[in-house]
Amino acid sequence: MNTPLPRAYWCHTDVDGTAPHPIPADLLTTAPGPAVTWIRESVRWLTPRLDRDGFHRAWAWLGDHRGAQAAVQILRRGQPYAYELATPAAHWRWTAYPVSVLPPPHHHNHHLPNEHPVRSHA
Protein backbone atom coordinates (compact mmCIF):
# COMPACT_ATOMS: atom_id res chain seq x y z
CA MET A 1 0.00 0.00 0.00
CA ASN A 2 1.37 3.38 -0.97
CA THR A 3 1.05 6.07 1.64
CA PRO A 4 0.91 9.71 0.55
CA LEU A 5 4.07 11.72 0.89
CA PRO A 6 4.12 14.27 3.71
CA ARG A 7 3.27 17.81 2.65
CA ALA A 8 5.64 20.71 3.01
CA TYR A 9 5.50 24.33 1.86
CA TRP A 10 8.09 25.97 -0.38
CA CYS A 11 8.21 29.78 -0.04
CA HIS A 12 9.76 31.92 -2.74
CA THR A 13 10.12 35.60 -3.70
CA ASP A 14 10.00 36.81 -7.32
CA VAL A 15 11.00 40.36 -8.24
CA ASP A 16 10.63 42.04 -11.62
CA GLY A 17 12.60 45.28 -11.56
CA THR A 18 15.14 46.85 -9.25
CA ALA A 19 15.34 45.11 -5.89
CA PRO A 20 17.50 45.62 -2.80
CA HIS A 21 19.96 42.82 -2.19
CA PRO A 22 19.82 40.29 -0.84
CA ILE A 23 16.16 39.45 -1.33
CA PRO A 24 14.69 37.02 1.23
CA ALA A 25 16.00 33.46 0.86
CA ASP A 26 13.60 30.67 -0.05
CA LEU A 27 12.16 28.59 2.77
CA LEU A 28 10.94 25.00 3.01
CA THR A 29 8.73 24.38 6.04
CA THR A 30 6.51 21.54 7.18
CA ALA A 31 3.45 23.62 8.12
CA PRO A 32 1.37 26.38 6.51
CA GLY A 33 1.59 28.77 9.51
CA PRO A 34 5.36 29.28 9.23
CA ALA A 35 4.98 29.67 5.44
CA VAL A 36 2.57 32.58 5.89
CA THR A 37 4.77 34.02 8.64
CA TRP A 38 7.74 33.90 6.22
CA ILE A 39 5.74 35.87 3.61
CA ARG A 40 4.69 38.43 6.20
CA GLU A 41 8.22 38.83 7.59
CA SER A 42 9.61 39.20 4.06
CA VAL A 43 7.07 41.95 3.29
CA ARG A 44 7.89 43.64 6.63
CA TRP A 45 11.62 43.48 5.70
CA LEU A 46 10.86 45.39 2.49
CA THR A 47 8.66 48.14 3.98
CA PRO A 48 11.46 50.59 4.96
CA ARG A 49 12.66 50.49 1.33
CA LEU A 50 9.27 51.37 -0.19
CA ASP A 51 7.79 54.62 -1.41
CA ARG A 52 4.96 56.10 0.67
CA ASP A 53 2.13 54.44 -1.29
CA GLY A 54 3.77 50.99 -1.29
CA PHE A 55 4.59 51.32 2.40
CA HIS A 56 0.95 52.02 3.28
CA ARG A 57 -0.39 49.19 1.06
CA ALA A 58 2.09 46.72 2.59
CA TRP A 59 1.23 47.72 6.17
CA ALA A 60 -2.51 47.53 5.42
CA TRP A 61 -1.96 43.94 4.24
CA LEU A 62 0.27 43.17 7.25
CA GLY A 63 -2.49 44.45 9.55
CA ASP A 64 -5.06 42.07 8.03
CA HIS A 65 -4.83 39.23 10.57
CA ARG A 66 -7.98 37.51 9.25
CA GLY A 67 -6.34 37.49 5.83
CA ALA A 68 -3.28 35.77 7.34
CA GLN A 69 -5.50 33.10 8.87
CA ALA A 70 -7.30 32.66 5.53
CA ALA A 71 -3.91 32.21 3.82
CA VAL A 72 -3.10 29.35 6.21
CA GLN A 73 -6.43 27.70 5.34
CA ILE A 74 -5.75 28.09 1.60
CA LEU A 75 -2.41 26.32 2.03
CA ARG A 76 -4.00 23.59 4.16
CA ARG A 77 -6.40 22.90 1.29
CA GLY A 78 -3.36 22.26 -0.92
CA GLN A 79 -3.55 25.50 -2.91
CA PRO A 80 -0.71 28.00 -3.35
CA TYR A 81 -0.97 31.40 -1.71
CA ALA A 82 0.65 34.59 -3.02
CA TYR A 83 0.89 38.24 -2.05
CA GLU A 84 1.87 40.79 -4.71
CA LEU A 85 3.05 44.36 -4.29
CA ALA A 86 3.75 46.69 -7.20
CA THR A 87 6.12 49.60 -6.55
CA PRO A 88 7.63 52.19 -8.91
CA ALA A 89 10.95 50.26 -8.83
CA ALA A 90 9.71 46.64 -8.96
CA HIS A 91 6.85 44.18 -8.90
CA TRP A 92 7.16 41.78 -5.94
CA ARG A 93 5.46 38.41 -5.54
CA TRP A 94 5.81 36.21 -2.46
CA THR A 95 4.39 32.71 -2.92
CA ALA A 96 4.01 29.63 -0.72
CA TYR A 97 3.50 26.41 -2.67
CA PRO A 98 2.35 23.11 -1.13
CA VAL A 99 4.80 20.37 -2.16
CA SER A 100 5.31 16.71 -1.28
CA VAL A 101 8.53 15.74 0.45
CA LEU A 102 10.38 12.52 1.13
CA PRO A 103 11.41 11.99 4.74
CA PRO A 104 15.14 11.57 5.35
CA PRO A 105 16.07 7.94 4.58
CA HIS A 106 17.86 7.33 7.87
CA HIS A 107 14.72 7.99 9.96
CA HIS A 108 12.21 5.24 10.65
CA ASN A 109 9.70 7.69 12.04
CA HIS A 110 8.00 9.35 9.08
CA HIS A 111 6.19 12.02 11.08
CA LEU A 112 7.00 15.64 10.37
CA PRO A 113 7.03 18.26 13.13
CA ASN A 114 3.72 19.70 14.24
CA GLU A 115 2.53 23.05 12.99
CA HIS A 116 3.24 26.14 15.04
CA PRO A 117 0.47 28.76 15.27
CA VAL A 118 0.63 31.81 13.02
CA ARG A 119 2.32 34.66 14.82
CA SER A 120 1.35 38.15 13.82
CA HIS A 121 3.54 41.13 14.52
CA ALA A 122 2.16 44.62 14.79
Side-chain angles (χ1 to χ4, degrees):
M1 175 183 198
N2 291 337
T3 57
L5 293 174
R7 182 175 288 163
Y9 302 87
W10 176 57
C11 305
H12 178 71
T13 304
D14 289 303
V15 185
D16 293 327
T18 304
H21 290 284
I23 64 170
D26 290 359
L27 172 73
L28 183 63
T29 183
T30 57
V36 173
T37 297
W38 177 88
I39 293 173
R40 292 171 60 79
E41 288 174 358
S42 296
V43 171
R44 190 174 295 106
W45 164 84
L46 181 64
T47 57
R49 299 158 181 87
L50 295 173
D51 67 327
R52 184 181 183 114
D53 180 55
F55 177 88
H56 289 294
R57 284 184 286 126
W59 274 104
W61 179 79
L62 287 167
D64 182 6
H65 301 292
R66 285 188 187 184
Q69 292 171 347
V72 169
Q73 295 305 317
I74 289 167
L75 289 168
R76 275 197 185 119
R77 288 193 301 265
Q79 301 168 333
Y81 175 79
Y83 173 68
E84 295 187 34
L85 182 64
T87 68
H91 183 91
W92 293 81
R93 181 180 174 94
W94 293 269
T95 309
Y97 302 91
V99 296
S100 294
V101 295
L102 293 172
H106 61 281
H107 291 284
H108 296 290
N109 181 353
H110 295 304
H111 298 286
L112 292 172
N114 292 330
E115 175 181 349
H116 300 290
V118 175
R119 293 178 304 215
S120 56
H121 307 280

